[in-house]
Amino acid sequence: MKAACCVLVVSLLMVPLLRTVSQRLFSMAAESYAPGSLSAAFITCPNETVAKEIARAVVEKHLAACVNIMPQITSIYEWKGKIEEDSEVLLMIKTRSSRIPALAEYVR
């Protein structure tokens, strides 16, 4: 019984240490994550061909780590005083916050 209590106490004391070690290892693997350092950008494209061109280019240029392409969305918006409805493709771009200005400039 005494040995089981000692094991339990040691195990409970190890949890914070293991949590700290795992967070540091994750940070090292993820180039030291800091809150607010990662962003997601959403861009609509007129079709899948344009979406794939932009997605490949931003990954190749290291402006994004990953791009998800979501086909067949419907966008409803106001344009020149009228309500419009279009079929589009959505890009969800995962990147570092520091790369948002360059990403925006490239997409424009």
Side-chain angles (χ1 to χ4, degrees), residues 47 61-62 75 98 103:
N47 56 55
K61 294 179 181 299
H62 302 285
S75 296
S98 61
L103 174 64

Side-chain angles (χ1 to χ4, degrees), residues 9-80:
V9 169
V10 169
S11 297
L12 290 174
L13 292 174
M14 291 297 290
V15 170
L17 174 65
L18 291 174
R19 183 179 301 127
T20 301
V21 169
S22 67
Q23 286 173 338
R24 286 187 181 163
L25 287 173
F26 176 77
S27 292
M28 288 169 34
E31 296 181 30
S32 67
Y33 170 76
S37 66
L38 303 177
S39 293
F42 297 88
I43 298 170
T44 54
C45 301
N47 56 55
E48 196 164 336
T49 301
V50 172
K52 284 182 179 180
E53 285 176 15
I54 292 172
R56 285 185 193 283
V58 298
V59 172
E60 286 172 0
K61 294 179 181 299
H62 302 285
L63 298 173
C66 175
V67 180
N68 299 113
I69 300 173
M70 291 166 261
Q72 301 176 348
I73 64 164
T74 301
S75 296
I76 299 173
Y77 56 95
E78 185 178 342
W79 181 254
K80 295 185 179 180

